[in-house]
Amino acid sequence: MNEKLKINITEYPYNAKGDGVTNDRPAIQKAIDEAHKNGGGIVVLPDGKTYLSGNLILRDNVELHFEDGSTLLQSSNPDDYVKPVGDSCEPHRPKYGYNLCDEIKWSHLWYYNYPMIFAPEGTKNIKVTGKGSLLMMPTDDIEHIIRICPIGFFKVSGFEISDVTITNYHSYAMMPFHSDHGLIKNLTVENSNHGNGDGFCIMNCQDIRVTGCNMVCGDDAIYIFSSYKDPRRSDWWNSDDPQPSINLEIDHNECKTNHCKSFGMILWGLDCPDQEKIEVRNVYVHDNHFETMGNWIYCPYTTKSGCTPVTNFRFENNRIDAIEPDFFATKISDMNYFHSMREIQNGGFESGLAFWNYRKNSNEDSVGIGTDDAGQPKGKYGYISHLEDGDAALYQGLYIRSGELNCFWAKLQTSGDPCRIFVKDLETQELVAEKEFSNTEWEDVQLEFSVPRDANYHIGIERGNATKGWAKIDNATLLGNCDAAFGYKRVGTDPYRGMKPLYFYDPDLWR
């Protein structure tokens, strides 16, 4: 981005009025387009003014900056709205109402109307910054509100949304879909005037951080959305191309809601043929205050039961006032602080590495999926390899109770070097059980074990004593440990553990 180019939209030749009455959209859009054509720059909304506008189209390497006290006000005139066409725009009248149709459940019009601040597919390196406000339409005439998302974009790479206030909104506050390498920082979200006034819908995104936001929402506040072929697709977005949700950090946020979930996941990717391509993986949630937490595992757009795979979910130093039962009904592999799932999922690797976690050594190909072994009838299998380059492991994280005899059973093969199957305490990484194997043909190998305490454990294969070679695994299952899921109930907060709430097992919760 060319940081030297800074455009004041009230100056010639843009001449925005900032009087809250004149349509300033053409002036602001002209400045955005001019900055883009010059390689990038900052488009400034000067302080103390209110800029009436329809929706705006951001371009590569452009920052839209609100000076303190500046306001971007959504226009109530449908003639002030546009849609992107190449590097230009053309008029596009938004739809009025609440839902598009009765045939599609939750067909909210903000999925169809273009967002107020929008970046189309392929846009790179955009910013919306500054301590101003994005003020949506007044609510004097409920039936004639143009319901659009304040900030939304599709397949954008590299973005920052920081410090602004989103207020008086009638939809979701922000919708980053299928995007990557983004920062959402220090936003204030308030005064939702709608029962579906969600906060941030983070759909099929990678490498995203949400930090320091203060939110009071009418519905869900922050949620990770795993979506595949959602029938609500529109001109500006779709989820037909499966994308996993990977490397997400949610930290130092204050999230409240009038009802529903302050934080959670919507896991609606079950129809994707390859579940690895739609899974949620590597999520770090820390130092937040959530009034409530839960997951949406019922999907109205499929006949299948279950939900998208979730792998490697880390909680640390959060205050959570209430947790809904649907959170505990979700199968999550390798989760700390709460109970992980009880049974191995995708033990035959037919959905790739979904539900499996791993450690790689210095060789990027040291963990993966193979299909080339004629001696294995199932076709796909997992492997660790290049063990001369260091340790490698392939495992799932399960909650296992003490006092029970369990059996980890898998079909295994090696290059002849002594690898091992293992059970380790997730928290301490203490080795609880192990068994060496070095067979060069596929064989069923069993590891019987019991654990010293009720806890989450890693269970799988690793290098062990091998100094080279490889190992393969297929048809993995855990026998025993299969009684019902376990729920929790908050009873207090331990002041010696920061913000972490205490839970106890309630056997009646799941009866």
Side-chain angles (χ1 to χ4, degrees):
M1 182 180 292
N2 182 0
E3 297 292 349
K4 294 182 180 180
L5 179 61
K6 182 177 285 189
I7 298 175
N8 183 330
I9 62 169
T10 62
E11 296 177 352
Y12 179 84
Y14 312 103
N15 302 323
K17 298 298 183 183
D19 57 11
V21 177
T22 305
N23 176 22
D24 285 324
R25 195 208 66 78
I28 302 172
Q29 190 65 57
K30 181 177 180 179
I32 291 171
D33 294 344
E34 188 73 18
H36 169 62
K37 291 176 182 178
N38 283 274
I42 304 173
V43 174
V44 179
L45 279 61
D47 62 357
K49 294 180 179 293
T50 297
Y51 304 91
L52 182 72
S53 178
N55 57 322
L56 300 166
I57 312 300
L58 287 183
R59 305 294 185 182
D60 289 358
N61 306 313
V62 172
E63 175 180 347
L64 183 64
H65 180 73
F66 292 72
E67 287 190 342
D68 292 6
S70 63
T71 298
L72 184 66
L73 173 63
Q74 180 194 357
S75 173
S76 60
N77 186 345
D79 294 333
D80 294 344
Y81 289 79
V82 297
K83 69 177 182 179
V85 178
D87 289 335
S88 186
C89 305
E90 67 178 31
H92 179 74
R93 292 180 69 87
K95 296 179 175 64
Y96 283 94
Y98 177 48
N99 287 325
L100 179 70
C101 62
D102 294 333
E103 291 75 22
I104 302 176
K105 191 176 180 65
W106 298 322
S107 57
H108 309 311
L109 280 178
W110 49 88
Y111 284 109
Y112 302 92
N113 294 329
Y114 282 85
M116 180 70 177
I117 299 177
F118 176 64
E121 179 177 352
T123 306
K124 297 180 180 179
N125 303 323
I126 59 170
K127 292 184 178 182
V128 180
T129 65
K131 295 183 178 180
S133 296
L134 184 52
L135 176 62
M136 307 308 284
M137 280 181 62
T139 57
D140 296 338
D141 189 348
I142 298 297
E143 295 303 317
H144 292 88
I145 293 172
I146 300 174
R147 289 182 169 88
I148 61 175
C149 177
I151 302 174
F153 38 82
F154 180 62
K155 291 189 176 180
V156 166
S157 183
F159 66 88
E160 177 185 332
I161 314 295
S162 59
D163 298 314
V164 298
T165 295
I166 297 173
T167 186
N168 202 52
Y169 65 107
H170 320 284
S171 62
Y172 299 173
M174 188 180 303
M175 300 165 71
F177 289 174
H178 286 247
S179 296
D180 62 84
H181 295 89
L183 175 64
I184 301 170
K185 179 181 179 182
N186 296 342
L187 266 67
T188 298
V189 178
E190 61 185 15
N191 297 336
S192 165
N193 286 292
H194 196 275
N196 284 102
D198 294 49
F200 305 154
C201 175
I202 304 170
M203 178 192 290
N204 298 355
C205 290
Q206 300 87 42
D207 300 295
I208 306 295
R209 184 183 181 194
V210 180
T211 181
C213 297
N214 195 316
M215 310 173 68
V216 181
C217 300
D219 209 304
D220 302 323
I222 299 175
Y223 58 90
I224 300 164
F225 192 177
S226 171
S227 175
Y228 178 68
K229 291 193 173 180
D230 192 313
R232 299 172 294 181
R233 67 177 68 85
S234 69
D235 289 342
W236 71 267
W237 77 278
N238 67 77
S239 60
D240 295 348
D241 177 24
Q243 295 289 333
S245 301
I246 301 177
N247 301 334
L248 309 177
E249 184 174 4
I250 315 293
D251 68 282
H252 295 91
N253 301 289
E254 179 79 20
C255 298
K256 299 179 180 179
T257 175
N258 293 333
H259 73 281
C260 228
K261 304 160 179 58
S262 296
F263 173 72
M265 294 180 285
I266 299 180
L267 301 171
W268 289 357
L270 202 62
D271 283 333
C272 182
D274 186 346
Q275 289 289 283
E276 184 180 4
K277 291 183 178 180
I278 201 68
E279 76 172 330
V280 178
R281 177 182 290 271
N282 301 342
V283 180
Y284 184 30
V285 181
H286 63 97
D287 298 286
N288 302 281
H289 175 204
F290 302 133
E291 274 192 333
T292 57
M293 185 171 74
N295 296 328
W296 289 97
I297 55 178
Y298 159 71
C299 176
Y301 312 127
T302 183
T303 58
K304 295 181 179 179
S305 60
C307 54
T308 305
V310 182
T311 307
N312 191 23
F313 217 105
R314 296 288 175 261
F315 289 91
E316 183 176 322
N317 202 36
N318 299 289
R319 176 183 167 193
I320 306 169
D321 296 336
I323 302 182
E324 299 180 5
D326 48 41
F327 175 80
F328 300 107
T330 310
K331 289 182 171 62
I332 301 178
S333 172
D334 197 12
M335 176 171 58
N336 76 329
Y337 195 63
F338 302 104
H339 293 179
S340 296
M341 62 190 188
R342 298 296 305 276
E343 302 170 276
I344 287 177
Q345 304 293 317
N346 188 32
F349 296 92
E350 297 310 302
S351 291
L353 290 175
F355 288 109
W356 290 89
N357 212 340
Y358 50 79
R359 295 194 307 272
K360 292 185 176 182
N361 57 37
S362 59
N363 193 307
E364 182 61 28
D365 193 40
S366 59
V367 174
I369 299 295
T371 58
D372 57 350
D373 198 323
Q376 178 56 10
K378 279 285 188 178
K380 290 186 179 181
Y381 57 84
Y383 70 78
I384 57 175
S385 66
H386 302 283
L387 301 181
E388 62 276 8
D389 294 328
D391 186 25
L394 189 57
Y395 56 91
Q396 292 195 16
L398 307 179
Y399 177 74
I400 303 176
R401 298 192 69 191
S402 62
E404 300 176 356
L405 182 63
N406 303 283
C407 181
F408 177 38
W409 191 328
K411 190 177 287 292
L412 304 173
Q413 184 188 29
T414 74
S415 55
D417 302 278
C419 299
R420 71 181 174 198
I421 54 177
F422 71 91
V423 179
K424 289 183 179 179
D425 187 300
L426 181 151
E427 183 177 347
T428 66
Q429 285 299 293
E430 177 185 356
L431 187 63
V432 173
E434 64 174 321
K435 186 174 185 177
E436 193 172 90
F437 65 99
S438 57
N439 46 287
T440 56
E441 300 293 332
W442 283 104
E443 291 183 9
D444 288 327
V445 179
Q446 301 174 38
L447 173 63
E448 293 187 349
F449 68 95
S450 59
V451 296
R453 65 189 185 99
D454 298 356
N456 292 319
Y457 292 86
H458 288 161
I459 181 168
I461 64 170
E462 62 184 1
R463 180 177 71 165
N465 292 318
T467 58
K468 58 182 176 62
W470 48 263
K472 300 175 182 178
I473 179 172
D474 201 358
N475 297 355
T477 188
L478 179 64
L479 304 180
N481 197 53
C482 294
D483 47 349
F486 291 87
Y488 295 79
K489 191 173 182 180
R490 184 166 188 259
V491 294
T493 301
D494 183 348
Y496 299 103
R497 299 176 66 192
M499 294 167 62
K500 284 187 178 180
L502 291 176
Y503 295 83
F504 73 96
Y505 167 53
D506 181 356
D508 293 326
L509 192 58
W510 289 96
R511 291 178 180 172

